[in-house]
Coordinates of all heavy atoms in Angstrom, one line a residue:
M1127 N 38.0 156.5 156.0 CA 38.2 157.4 154.9 C 38.8 158.8 155.4 O 39.6 159.4 154.7 CB 36.9 157.6 154.1 CG 37.1 158.4 152.8 SD 38.1 157.4 151.7 CE 38.0 158.4 150.3
Q1128 N 38.3 159.2 156.6 CA 38.7 160.4 157.1 C 40.2 160.4 157.4 O 40.9 161.4 157.2 CB 37.9 160.7 158.4 CG 38.2 162.1 159.0 CD 37.8 163.3 158.2 OE1 37.0 163.1 157.3 NE2 38.3 164.4 158.6
S1129 N 40.7 159.3 158.0 CA 42.2 159.2 158.4 C 43.0 159.2 157.1 O 44.1 159.7 157.1 CB 42.4 158.0 159.2 OG 42.2 156.8 158.5
F1130 N 42.5 158.6 156.0 CA 43.3 158.5 154.8 C 43.4 159.9 154.2 O 44.5 160.3 153.8 CB 42.5 157.6 153.8 CG 43.2 157.6 152.4 CD1 44.3 156.9 152.2 CD2 42.6 158.3 151.3 CE1 44.9 156.9 151.0 CE2 43.2 158.3 150.1 CZ 44.3 157.6 149.9
M1131 N 42.4 160.7 154.3 CA 42.5 162.1 153.8 C 43.4 162.9 154.7 O 44.1 163.8 154.1 CB 41.1 162.7 153.7 CG 40.2 162.1 152.7 SD 40.9 162.0 151.0 CE 40.9 163.7 150.6
Q1132 N 43.4 162.7 156.0 CA 44.4 163.4 156.8 C 45.8 163.1 156.5 O 46.7 163.9 156.5 CB 44.1 163.1 158.3 CG 42.8 163.7 158.8 CD 42.4 163.3 160.2 OE1 42.9 162.3 160.7 NE2 41.5 164.0 160.8
I1133 N 46.1 161.8 156.2 CA 47.4 161.4 155.8 C 47.8 162.1 154.5 O 49.0 162.6 154.4 CB 47.5 159.8 155.7 CG1 47.4 159.2 157.0 CG2 48.8 159.4 155.0 CD1 47.3 157.7 157.0
I1134 N 46.9 162.1 153.5 CA 47.2 162.8 152.3 C 47.5 164.3 152.5 O 48.4 164.8 152.0 CB 46.0 162.6 151.3 CG1 45.9 161.2 150.9 CG2 46.2 163.5 150.1 CD1 47.0 160.6 150.1
Q1135 N 46.7 164.9 153.3 CA 46.9 166.3 153.6 C 48.2 166.6 154.3 O 48.9 167.5 154.0 CB 45.7 166.8 154.5 CG 45.8 168.3 154.8 CD 44.6 168.8 155.6 OE1 43.9 168.0 156.2 NE2 44.4 170.1 155.8
L1136 N 48.5 165.7 155.3 CA 49.8 165.9 156.0 C 51.0 165.7 155.1 O 52.0 166.5 155.1 CB 49.9 164.9 157.2 CG 51.2 165.0 158.0 CD1 51.3 166.3 158.7 CD2 51.2 163.8 159.0
T1137 N 50.9 164.7 154.2 CA 52.0 164.5 153.2 C 52.1 165.7 152.3 O 53.3 166.1 152.0 CB 51.6 163.2 152.4 OG1 51.5 162.1 153.2 CG2 52.7 162.9 151.4
L1138 N 51.1 166.3 151.8 CA 51.2 167.4 150.9 C 51.7 168.6 151.6 O 52.6 169.4 151.1 CB 49.8 167.8 150.3 CG 49.3 166.8 149.3 CD1 47.8 167.1 148.9 CD2 50.1 166.8 148.1
V1139 N 51.3 168.9 152.9 CA 51.8 170.0 153.6 C 53.3 169.9 153.9 O 54.1 170.8 153.7 CB 51.0 170.2 155.0 CG1 51.7 171.2 155.9 CG2 49.6 170.6 154.6
C1140 N 53.7 168.7 154.4 CA 55.1 168.4 154.6 C 56.0 168.6 153.4 O 57.1 169.2 153.4 CB 55.3 167.1 155.2 SG 54.7 166.9 156.9
G1141 N 55.5 168.1 152.3 CA 56.3 168.2 151.0 C 56.4 169.6 150.6 O 57.4 170.1 150.1
T1142 N 55.3 170.4 150.7 CA 55.3 171.8 150.3 C 56.3 172.6 151.2 O 57.1 173.4 150.8 CB 53.9 172.4 150.4 OG1 53.1 171.6 149.6 CG2 53.9 173.9 150.0
V1143 N 56.3 172.4 152.5 CA 57.1 173.1 153.5 C 58.6 172.7 153.2 O 59.5 173.6 153.1 CB 56.8 172.7 154.9 CG1 57.9 173.2 155.9 CG2 55.4 173.3 155.3
L1144 N 58.9 171.5 152.9 CA 60.3 171.1 152.6 C 60.7 171.8 151.3 O 61.9 172.2 151.2 CB 60.4 169.6 152.5 CG 60.4 168.8 153.8 CD1 60.3 167.3 153.6 CD2 61.5 169.2 154.7
G1145 N 59.9 171.8 150.3 CA 60.2 172.4 149.0 C 60.5 173.9 149.2 O 61.5 174.5 148.6
V1146 N 59.7 174.6 149.9 CA 59.8 176.0 150.2 C 61.1 176.3 150.9 O 61.9 177.2 150.6 CB 58.6 176.6 150.9 CG1 58.9 178.0 151.4 CG2 57.4 176.6 150.0
C1147 N 61.4 175.4 151.9 CA 62.7 175.6 152.7 C 63.9 175.5 151.8 O 64.8 176.2 151.9 CB 62.7 174.6 153.8 SG 61.6 174.9 155.2
F1148 N 63.9 174.5 150.9 CA 65.0 174.3 150.0 C 65.2 175.5 149.1 O 66.3 175.9 148.8 CB 64.9 173.0 149.2 CG 65.6 171.9 149.8 CD1 64.9 170.7 150.0 CD2 66.9 172.0 150.1 CE1 65.6 169.6 150.5 CE2 67.6 170.9 150.7 CZ 66.9 169.7 150.9
V1149 N 64.1 176.0 148.5 CA 64.2 177.2 147.6 C 64.8 178.4 148.4 O 65.6 179.1 147.9 CB 62.8 177.5 147.0 CG1 62.8 178.8 146.3 CG2 62.5 176.4 146.0
A1150 N 64.3 178.6 149.6 CA 64.8 179.7 150.4 C 66.2 179.5 150.8 O 67.0 180.5 150.7 CB 63.9 179.8 151.7
L1151 N 66.7 178.3 151.1 CA 68.1 178.1 151.4 C 69.0 178.3 150.3 O 70.1 178.8 150.4 CB 68.2 176.7 152.0 CG 67.7 176.5 153.4 CD1 67.7 175.0 153.8 CD2 68.4 177.3 154.4
L1152 N 68.5 177.8 149.1 CA 69.4 178.0 147.9 C 69.5 179.5 147.5 O 70.5 179.9 146.8 CB 68.8 177.2 146.7 CG 68.9 175.7 146.9 CD1 68.2 175.0 145.8 CD2 70.3 175.3 147.0
A1153 N 68.6 180.3 147.9 CA 68.6 181.7 147.6 C 69.6 182.5 148.5 O 69.9 183.6 148.2 CB 67.2 182.4 147.7
M1154 N 70.1 181.9 149.6 CA 71.0 182.5 150.5 C 72.4 181.8 150.5 O 72.8 181.1 151.4 CB 70.5 182.4 151.9 CG 69.1 183.0 152.1 SD 68.5 182.9 153.8 CE 68.5 181.2 154.2
P1155 N 73.2 182.0 149.4 CA 74.4 181.2 149.3 C 75.5 181.5 150.3 O 76.3 180.7 150.6 CB 74.9 181.5 147.9 CG 74.3 182.8 147.5 CD 73.0 182.9 148.3
Q1156 N 75.6 182.7 150.9 CA 76.6 183.1 151.8 C 76.1 183.2 153.2 O 76.8 183.8 154.1 CB 77.3 184.4 151.4 CG 77.9 184.4 150.0 CD 79.0 183.4 149.9 OE1 79.8 183.1 150.8 NE2 79.1 182.7 148.7
S1157 N 75.0 182.6 153.5 CA 74.4 182.7 154.9 C 74.9 181.6 155.8 O 75.0 180.5 155.4 CB 72.9 182.7 154.8 OG 72.3 182.7 156.0
K1158 N 75.2 182.0 157.1 CA 75.5 181.0 158.1 C 74.3 180.2 158.4 O 74.4 179.0 158.8 CB 76.1 181.7 159.3 CG 77.4 182.2 159.1 CD 78.0 182.8 160.4 CE 79.3 183.5 160.0 NZ 80.4 183.2 160.9
L1159 N 73.1 180.7 158.3 CA 71.9 180.0 158.5 C 71.7 178.9 157.5 O 71.3 177.8 157.8 CB 70.7 180.9 158.4 CG 69.3 180.3 158.7 CD1 69.2 179.8 160.1 CD2 68.2 181.4 158.5
R1160 N 72.1 179.1 156.3 CA 72.1 178.1 155.2 C 73.0 176.9 155.6 O 72.6 175.8 155.5 CB 72.5 178.7 153.9 CG 72.5 177.6 152.8 CD 73.0 178.3 151.5 NE 72.9 177.4 150.4 CZ 73.8 176.6 149.9 NH1 75.0 176.6 150.5 NH2 73.6 175.8 148.9
D1161 N 74.2 177.3 156.1 CA 75.1 176.2 156.5 C 74.6 175.4 157.6 O 74.9 174.2 157.7 CB 76.5 176.8 156.9 CG 77.2 177.5 155.7 OD1 76.9 177.2 154.6 OD2 78.0 178.4 156.0
F1162 N 73.8 176.0 158.5 CA 73.2 175.2 159.6 C 72.0 174.4 159.2 O 71.8 173.3 159.6 CB 72.9 176.2 160.7 CG 72.1 175.6 161.9 CD1 72.8 174.8 162.8 CD2 70.8 175.8 162.1 CE1 72.1 174.2 163.8 CE2 70.1 175.2 163.1 CZ 70.8 174.4 164.0
L1163 N 71.1 175.0 158.4 CA 69.9 174.4 158.1 C 69.9 173.4 156.9 O 69.0 172.5 156.8 CB 68.8 175.5 157.8 CG 68.3 176.3 159.0 CD1 67.3 177.3 158.5 CD2 67.7 175.4 160.0
L1164 N 70.9 173.5 156.0 CA 70.9 172.7 154.9 C 71.0 171.2 155.2 O 70.3 170.4 154.7 CB 72.0 173.1 153.9 CG 71.8 172.6 152.4 CD1 70.5 173.0 151.9 CD2 72.9 173.1 151.6
P1165 N 71.9 170.8 156.1 CA 71.9 169.4 156.5 C 70.6 168.9 157.2 O 70.2 167.8 156.9 CB 73.1 169.3 157.5 CG 73.9 170.4 157.2 CD 73.0 171.5 156.7
I1166 N 70.0 169.8 158.0 CA 68.7 169.4 158.6 C 67.7 169.2 157.6 O 66.9 168.2 157.6 CB 68.3 170.5 159.6 CG1 69.3 170.5 160.8 CG2 66.9 170.2 160.2 CD1 69.2 171.7 161.7
A1167 N 67.6 170.1 156.6 CA 66.6 170.0 155.5 C 66.9 168.8 154.7 O 65.9 168.1 154.3 CB 66.6 171.2 154.7
G1168 N 68.1 168.5 154.4 CA 68.5 167.3 153.7 C 68.0 166.0 154.4 O 67.5 165.1 153.7
W1169 N 68.2 165.9 155.7 CA 67.8 164.7 156.4 C 66.3 164.6 156.4 O 65.7 163.5 156.4 CB 68.3 164.7 157.8 CG 69.8 164.3 157.9 CD1 70.8 165.0 158.3 CD2 70.3 163.0 157.5 NE1 72.0 164.3 158.1 CE2 71.7 163.1 157.7 CE3 69.7 161.8 157.0 CZ2 72.5 162.0 157.4 CZ3 70.6 160.8 156.7 CH2 71.9 160.8 156.9
C1170 N 65.6 165.8 156.5 CA 64.1 165.8 156.5 C 63.6 165.2 155.1 O 62.7 164.4 155.1 CB 63.6 167.2 156.7 SG 63.8 167.7 158.4
V1171 N 64.2 165.7 154.1 CA 63.8 165.2 152.7 C 64.1 163.7 152.6 O 63.3 162.9 152.1 CB 64.6 166.0 151.6 CG1 64.4 165.3 150.3 CG2 64.0 167.4 151.6
A1172 N 65.3 163.2 153.1 CA 65.6 161.8 153.1 C 64.6 161.0 153.8 O 64.2 159.9 153.4 CB 67.0 161.6 153.6
I1173 N 64.2 161.4 155.0 CA 63.2 160.7 155.8 C 61.9 160.7 155.1 O 61.2 159.7 155.1 CB 63.2 161.3 157.2 CG1 64.4 161.0 158.0 CG2 61.9 160.8 158.0 CD1 64.6 161.8 159.3
F1174 N 61.5 161.9 154.6 CA 60.2 162.0 153.9 C 60.2 161.0 152.7 O 59.2 160.3 152.5 CB 60.0 163.4 153.4 CG 58.7 163.6 152.7 CD1 57.5 163.7 153.3 CD2 58.7 163.8 151.3 CE1 56.3 163.9 152.6 CE2 57.6 163.9 150.6 CZ 56.4 164.0 151.2
C1175 N 61.2 161.0 151.9 CA 61.3 160.1 150.8 C 61.3 158.6 151.2 O 60.6 157.8 150.5 CB 62.5 160.3 150.0 SG 62.5 161.9 149.1
A1176 N 61.9 158.3 152.3 CA 61.9 156.9 152.8 C 60.5 156.5 153.2 O 60.0 155.4 152.9 CB 62.9 156.7 153.9
V1177 N 59.8 157.4 153.9 CA 58.5 157.1 154.4 C 57.5 156.9 153.2 O 56.7 156.0 153.1 CB 58.0 158.1 155.4 CG1 56.5 158.0 155.6 CG2 58.7 158.0 156.7
Y1178 N 57.7 157.8 152.2 CA 56.9 157.8 151.0 C 57.1 156.5 150.2 O 56.2 155.9 149.7 CB 57.1 159.0 150.1 CG 56.3 158.9 148.8 CD1 55.0 159.3 148.9 CD2 56.8 158.5 147.6 CE1 54.2 159.2 147.7 CE2 56.1 158.4 146.5 CZ 54.8 158.8 146.5 OH 54.0 158.7 145.4
T1179 N 58.4 156.1 150.1 CA 58.7 154.9 149.4 C 58.1 153.6 150.0 O 57.6 152.7 149.2 CB 60.2 154.7 149.2 OG1 60.7 155.9 148.6 CG2 60.6 153.5 148.4
I1180 N 58.1 153.5 151.3 CA 57.6 152.3 151.9 C 56.1 152.4 152.2 O 55.5 151.4 152.6 CB 58.3 151.9 153.2 CG1 58.2 153.0 154.2 CG2 59.8 151.7 152.9 CD1 58.8 152.7 155.6
S1181 N 55.5 153.6 152.1 CA 54.0 153.7 152.4 C 53.2 153.1 151.3 O 53.6 153.1 150.1 CB 53.7 155.2 152.6 OG 53.7 155.8 151.4
P1182 N 52.0 152.7 151.6 CA 51.1 152.2 150.6 C 50.4 153.2 149.7 O 49.8 152.9 148.7 CB 50.1 151.4 151.3 CG 50.0 152.0 152.7 CD 51.4 152.5 152.9
I1183 N 50.6 154.5 150.1 CA 50.0 155.6 149.3 C 50.9 156.0 148.2 O 52.1 156.3 148.4 CB 49.7 156.8 150.3 CG1 48.8 156.4 151.4 CG2 49.2 158.0 149.5 CD1 48.7 157.4 152.5
D1184 N 50.4 156.0 147.0 CA 51.2 156.3 145.8 C 50.5 157.3 144.9 O 49.3 157.3 144.8 CB 51.5 155.1 145.0 CG 52.6 154.2 145.5 OD1 53.5 154.7 146.2 OD2 52.6 153.0 145.3
V1185 N 51.3 158.1 144.3 CA 50.8 159.0 143.3 C 50.4 158.2 142.0 O 49.3 158.4 141.4 CB 51.8 160.1 142.9 CG1 51.3 161.0 141.8 CG2 52.1 161.0 144.1
I1186 N 51.2 157.3 141.6 CA 51.0 156.4 140.5 C 50.9 155.0 141.1 O 51.9 154.3 141.3 CB 52.1 156.5 139.4 CG1 52.2 157.9 139.0 CG2 51.8 155.5 138.3 CD1 53.4 158.1 138.0
P1187 N 49.7 154.4 141.4 CA 49.6 153.1 142.0 C 50.0 152.0 141.1 O 49.7 152.0 139.9 CB 48.1 153.0 142.4 CG 47.4 154.0 141.5 CD 48.4 155.1 141.2
E1188 N 50.7 151.0 141.7 CA 51.2 149.8 140.9 C 50.0 149.0 140.5 O 50.1 148.3 139.5 CB 52.2 149.0 141.8 CG 53.5 149.7 142.0 CD 53.5 150.6 143.2 OE1 52.6 150.6 144.0 OE2 54.5 151.4 143.3
A1189 N 48.9 148.9 141.3 CA 47.8 148.1 141.0 C 47.1 148.6 139.7 O 46.5 147.8 139.0 CB 46.8 148.1 142.1
V1190 N 47.2 149.8 139.4 CA 46.5 150.4 138.2 C 47.5 150.4 137.0 O 47.1 150.0 135.9 CB 46.0 151.8 138.4 CG1 45.4 152.4 137.2 CG2 45.0 151.8 139.6
F1191 N 48.7 150.8 137.2 CA 49.7 151.0 136.1 C 50.7 149.9 136.0 O 51.6 150.0 135.1 CB 50.3 152.4 136.2 CG 49.4 153.5 136.1 CD1 48.9 154.2 137.2 CD2 48.9 153.9 134.8 CE1 48.0 155.2 137.1 CE2 48.0 154.9 134.7 CZ 47.6 155.6 135.8
G1192 N 50.6 148.9 136.8 CA 51.6 147.8 136.7 C 53.0 148.3 137.1 O 53.2 149.0 138.0
P1193 N 54.0 147.8 136.3 CA 55.4 148.1 136.6 C 55.7 149.6 136.5 O 56.7 150.1 137.0 CB 56.2 147.3 135.6 CG 55.2 146.8 134.6 CD 53.9 146.9 135.1
F1194 N 54.9 150.3 135.7 CA 55.2 151.8 135.6 C 55.0 152.5 136.9 O 55.5 153.6 137.1 CB 54.3 152.4 134.5 CG 54.7 151.9 133.1 CD1 53.8 151.0 132.5 CD2 55.9 152.2 132.5 CE1 54.1 150.5 131.2 CE2 56.2 151.7 131.3 CZ 55.3 150.9 130.6
G1195 N 54.2 151.9 137.8 CA 54.0 152.5 139.1 C 55.2 152.5 140.0 O 55.3 153.3 140.9
Y1196 N 56.2 151.6 139.7 CA 57.4 151.6 140.5 C 58.4 152.7 140.1 O 59.3 153.0 140.9 CB 58.1 150.2 140.3 CG 57.3 149.1 140.9 CD1 56.7 148.1 140.2 CD2 57.2 149.0 142.3 CE1 56.0 147.1 140.8 CE2 56.5 148.0 142.9 CZ 55.9 147.0 142.1 OH 55.2 146.0 142.7
I1197 N 58.2 153.4 139.0 CA 59.1 154.4 138.6 C 59.1 155.6 139.6 O 60.1 156.1 140.0 CB 58.7 154.9 137.2 CG1 59.0 153.8 136.2 CG2 59.5 156.2 136.8 CD1 58.5 154.1 134.8
E1198 N 57.9 156.0 140.1 CA 57.9 157.1 141.0 C 58.5 156.6 142.4 O 59.1 157.4 143.1 CB 56.5 157.7 141.2 CG 55.5 156.6 141.5 CD 54.7 156.8 142.8 OE1 54.9 157.7 143.5 OE2 53.9 155.9 143.0
D1199 N 58.3 155.4 142.7 CA 59.0 154.9 144.0 C 60.5 154.9 143.8 O 61.2 155.2 144.8 CB 58.5 153.5 144.3 CG 57.0 153.4 144.8 OD1 56.6 154.5 145.3 OD2 56.4 152.4 144.6
L1200 N 61.0 154.5 142.7 CA 62.4 154.6 142.4 C 62.9 156.0 142.4 O 64.0 156.3 142.9 CB 62.8 153.9 141.1 CG 62.6 152.4 141.1 CD1 62.8 151.9 139.6 CD2 63.6 151.7 142.0
A1201 N 62.1 156.9 141.9 CA 62.5 158.4 141.9 C 62.6 158.9 143.3 O 63.5 159.7 143.7 CB 61.6 159.2 141.0
A1202 N 61.6 158.5 144.2 CA 61.6 158.9 145.5 C 62.8 158.4 146.3 O 63.4 159.1 147.1 CB 60.3 158.5 146.2
A1203 N 63.1 157.1 146.0 CA 64.3 156.5 146.7 C 65.6 157.2 146.3 O 66.4 157.5 147.1 CB 64.3 155.0 146.4
A1204 N 65.7 157.5 145.0 CA 66.9 158.2 144.5 C 67.0 159.6 145.1 O 68.1 160.0 145.4 CB 66.9 158.2 143.0
T1205 N 65.9 160.3 145.2 CA 65.9 161.6 145.8 C 66.3 161.5 147.3 O 67.1 162.4 147.7 CB 64.5 162.3 145.6 OG1 64.2 162.3 144.3 CG2 64.5 163.6 146.2
G1206 N 65.8 160.5 148.0 CA 66.1 160.4 149.4 C 67.6 160.1 149.6 O 68.2 160.6 150.5
I1207 N 68.2 159.2 148.7 CA 69.6 158.9 148.8 C 70.4 160.1 148.5 O 71.4 160.4 149.2 CB 69.9 157.7 147.9 CG1 69.3 156.4 148.4 CG2 71.4 157.5 147.7 CD1 69.3 155.3 147.4
A1208 N 70.1 160.9 147.5 CA 70.8 162.1 147.2 C 70.7 163.1 148.3 O 71.7 163.8 148.6 CB 70.3 162.7 145.9
A1209 N 69.6 163.2 148.9 CA 69.4 164.2 150.0 C 70.2 163.7 151.2 O 70.9 164.6 151.9 CB 68.0 164.3 150.4
A1210 N 70.3 162.4 151.5 CA 71.1 161.9 152.6 C 72.6 162.1 152.4 O 73.3 162.5 153.3 CB 70.8 160.5 152.9
R1211 N 73.0 161.9 151.1 CA 74.4 162.1 150.8 C 74.8 163.6 151.0 O 75.9 163.9 151.4 CB 74.7 161.6 149.4 CG 74.7 160.1 149.3 CD 75.1 159.6 148.0 NE 76.5 160.0 147.8 CZ 77.1 159.7 146.6 NH1 76.5 159.1 145.7 NH2 78.4 160.1 146.5
M1212 N 73.9 164.5 150.5 CA 74.1 165.9 150.7 C 74.2 166.3 152.1 O 75.0 167.1 152.5 CB 73.0 166.7 149.9 CG 73.3 168.2 149.9 SD 72.1 169.3 150.6 CE 70.9 168.4 151.4
A1213 N 73.3 165.7 152.9 CA 73.3 166.1 154.4 C 74.5 165.5 155.1 O 74.9 166.2 156.1 CB 72.0 165.5 155.0
M1214 N 75.0 164.4 154.7 CA 76.2 163.8 155.3 C 77.5 164.6 155.0 O 78.4 164.7 155.8 CB 76.4 162.4 154.9 CG 75.4 161.5 155.6 SD 75.9 159.7 155.3 CE 75.4 159.5 153.7
N1215 N 77.5 165.3 153.9 CA 78.7 166.0 153.5 C 78.3 167.4 153.0 O 78.4 167.7 151.8 CB 79.5 165.2 152.4 CG 80.9 165.7 152.2 OD1 81.3 166.6 152.9 ND2 81.6 165.1 151.3
P1216 N 77.9 168.3 153.9 CA 77.4 169.6 153.5 C 78.5 170.5 153.0 O 78.3 171.6 152.4 CB 76.8 170.2 154.8 CG 77.5 169.5 155.9 CD 77.8 168.1 155.3
S1217 N 79.8 170.2 153.3 CA 80.9 171.1 152.9 C 81.0 171.2 151.4 O 81.6 172.2 150.8 CB 82.2 170.7 153.5 OG 82.5 169.4 153.0
K1218 N 80.6 170.2 150.6 CA 80.7 170.2 149.1 C 79.6 171.0 148.5 O 79.6 171.2 147.3 CB 80.7 168.8 148.6 CG 81.9 168.0 148.9 CD 81.9 166.7 148.2 CE 83.2 165.9 148.4 NZ 83.1 164.6 147.8
N1219 N 78.6 171.5 149.2 CA 77.5 172.2 148.6 C 77.7 173.7 148.5 O 78.2 174.3 149.3 CB 76.2 171.9 149.5 CG 75.9 170.5 149.5 OD1 76.1 169.8 148.5 ND2 75.5 170.0 150.6

């Protein structure tokens, strides 16, 4: 049980850090730092979403909510794909 709580805590901390980084980067539209860090942050979000999608830990578990539990997995996968596309072509951002 202790390791499960550590995984949950690590997931929450990583998600919060990534969210804060994206908000800070979006607030600096003409910064060279933004041009450097935006692809890195995009790949981090894509990796985080991929790990979340394949992990057995869910916010909405399929065992309780049935097929509705897959909606959040699909949303995480779509977010990861969008972040990877953004990171591959940062010149359009």
Side-chain angles (χ1 to χ4, degrees):
M1127 188 68 174
Q1128 182 70 13
S1129 63
F1130 177 73
M1131 294 306 291
Q1132 289 174 342
I1133 291 171
I1134 296 292
Q1135 183 180 12
L1136 180 64
T1137 303
L1138 289 173
V1139 168
C1140 289
T1142 303
V1143 168
L1144 288 173
V1146 169
C1147 286
F1148 265 128
V1149 169
L1151 288 172
L1152 291 175
M1154 306 183 296
Q1156 300 298 326
S1157 173
K1158 290 185 187 227
L1159 181 63
R1160 178 184 189 264
D1161 295 337
F1162 174 73
L1163 290 178
L1164 200 57
I1166 295 170
W1169 283 115
C1170 289
V1171 169
I1173 291 169
F1174 178 77
C1175 288
V1177 169
Y1178 178 79
T1179 301
I1180 63 173
S1181 75
I1183 300 169
D1184 281 332
V1185 175
I1186 304 172
E1188 290 85 11
V1190 177
F1191 295 103
F1194 295 109
Y1196 290 112
I1197 293 173
E1198 52 120 1
D1199 289 334
L1200 290 173
T1205 302
I1207 291 169
R1211 289 184 66 181
M1212 185 239 6
M1214 284 191 284
N1215 197 0
S1217 62
K1218 288 187 178 180
N1219 300 322

